[in-house]
Amino acid sequence: MAEAEAKFDPSVIGLEEEIGSFDITAEQIAAYCEAVGETNPLYTDADVAKSGPYGGIIAPPGIVHSISMGNGPDAKIRFGNAAFHAGEKMEVIAPMYPGDHITARIHVKELFEKTGRTGSMLFEVRRTIFSNQKGEPVVATEKSFVRREVVPGGE
Amino acid sequence: MVSSTVEQRYAEDVGPGDEFEETFTLSTDHVHRFLAMPGNRLGANQNRFNSEEVAKRDGLPGPIVPGVMSLDVAYRVLGDFVGVWGKVRSLEVSFRRSVFHNDTLTSKILVTDSGEDNGRHWFKADIFLENERGERPLQGVADFELPARG
């Protein structure tokens, strides 16, 4: 049974947690480029990339999306019967090179309610910062998840 | 999916009002490759991204493309726009509708603002993906930089 009133634990806001790590490899870059149809020589052509701004092939920042990570802090949300990924901001901070070891840390940035045309919604914004082995941030993502009540057969 | 030729654009040649578009098809093969990437647990089970049956059980007409993959495709088009020497700083999108396997999508970029700050030539743009049914499943804004000719 869905909750009529949004319930969640606001104490998780700001709590940071490591949710996983992975290595950037040339094979992973090539597989990702195949999957999304990437042909930019920065990621696909060693000769062109060598004379480019980074001195060699780098990883497309979206590669962080292709690797599953943990969930991080649980806001214990009890609201609605449907949840979906409503949006995302990806910030590209620094290049990722083959051989880099990337670690992801996440925190809940915001939890808030909003009333729209289709009724009440609860937004959860989770920010993840991916850093390399030197501790330098390389990519940051902010994912917005929405929960709401969906009436069968309705909107 | 069309293969793009990445030409280098320069700050002096781009300004508000300029548009760029690329059309491509996100095939089932692309989605399966994405789900099969090492470390991607989305491909470990039957779900709405890889199974006709599960998608239909969830009320969808067929399997859909993961939202992050649509975002990555939009980023790819931006990367083509800025070229090897440009830099995409950020891309922020909202997912408005599902993208289905084998949808043909046109990605459009409209430059909305530009300026120079400490020698950096920055630009802002609207970006969206439009499917063959005239729907826009993804809309957003981007910040990027282009090199100067000089």
Side-chain angles (χ1 to χ4, degrees):
Chain A
M1 185 69 183
E3 299 285 336
E5 185 187 340
K7 290 180 182 166
F8 55 84
D9 176 9
S11 71
V12 300
I13 295 172
L15 283 183
E16 197 178 78
E17 198 173 292
E18 186 176 318
I19 53 170
S21 62
F22 56 93
D23 293 316
I24 299 289
T25 66
E27 294 75 22
Q28 186 99 5
I29 293 171
Y32 174 85
C33 290
E34 279 283 318
V36 302
E38 181 63 79
T39 57
N40 190 319
L42 274 180
Y43 317 123
T44 59
D45 186 328
D47 291 334
V48 175
K50 194 175 175 183
S51 56
Y54 307 109
I57 279 187
I58 60 169
I63 203 166
V64 302
H65 291 134
S66 69
I67 295 156
S68 302
M69 294 281 147
N71 292 326
D74 180 4
K76 299 182 176 62
I77 297 170
R78 287 161 61 198
F79 181 68
N81 59 0
F84 54 96
H85 186 187
E88 178 163 340
K89 180 176 186 182
M90 179 167 72
E91 298 164 38
V92 185
I93 303 164
M96 290 180 285
Y97 298 92
D100 277 357
H101 183 71
I102 306 298
T103 301
R105 298 185 68 83
I106 195 169
H107 70 270
V108 178
K109 186 180 172 186
E110 286 179 280
L111 280 163
F112 61 94
E113 291 180 67
K114 204 170 165 179
T115 302
R117 190 172 49 85
T118 55
S120 290
M121 297 176 283
L122 180 69
F123 285 77
E124 181 183 26
V125 181
R126 300 174 78 86
R127 182 172 174 86
T128 305
I129 298 176
F130 297 86
S131 302
N132 64 19
Q133 64 279 5
K134 296 176 201 159
E136 300 161 341
V138 289
V139 174
T141 62
E142 268 186 33
K143 295 176 191 268
S144 299
F145 296 94
V146 177
R147 288 165 199 251
R148 68 181 175 100
E149 189 71 26
V150 174
V151 181
E155 274 190 283
Chain B
M1 183 89 63
V2 295
S3 66
S4 53
T5 43
V6 178
E7 84 177 72
Q8 186 60 60
R9 286 179 171 74
Y10 293 92
E12 294 87 340
D13 305 328
V14 175
D18 285 352
E19 293 183 31
F20 175 73
E21 70 176 59
E22 223 175 83
T23 297
F24 51 91
T25 300
L26 259 178
S27 70
T28 296
D29 183 54
H30 285 117
V31 179
H32 286 176
R33 282 174 187 268
F34 186 81
L35 297 178
M37 292 275 299
N40 192 343
R41 289 197 295 269
L42 272 181
N45 301 304
Q46 295 279 292
N47 52 49
R48 59 174 61 185
F49 305 120
N50 59 13
S51 163
E52 191 88 25
E53 189 187 332
V54 175
K56 287 196 167 146
R57 202 169 62 210
D58 287 351
L60 296 162
I64 61 173
V65 174
V68 289
M69 193 176 176
S70 306
L71 167 62
D72 289 351
V73 167
Y75 182 90
R76 177 179 67 72
V77 177
L78 265 176
D80 287 353
F81 183 77
V82 304
V84 167
W85 292 92
K87 288 178 183 166
V88 178
R89 291 296 184 192
S90 70
L91 172 60
E92 182 171 11
V93 303
S94 55
F95 304 114
R96 294 167 176 264
R97 287 174 180 271
S98 297
V99 175
F100 295 95
H101 290 201
N102 305 308
D103 269 358
T104 295
L105 300 164
T106 299
S107 177
K108 294 188 182 175
I109 296 169
L110 169 66
V111 179
T112 56
D113 198 7
S114 65
E116 188 182 349
D117 184 13
N118 289 327
R120 293 187 308 117
H121 298 271
W122 59 262
F123 296 83
K124 292 182 184 295
D126 291 340
I127 183 167
F128 60 85
L129 299 181
E130 188 170 291
N131 62 27
E132 62 268 58
R133 298 176 292 282
E135 301 161 338
R136 293 184 178 179
L138 176 149
Q139 277 185 234
V141 291
D143 289 302
F144 60 89
E145 292 174 16
L146 290 174
R149 282 189 192 279

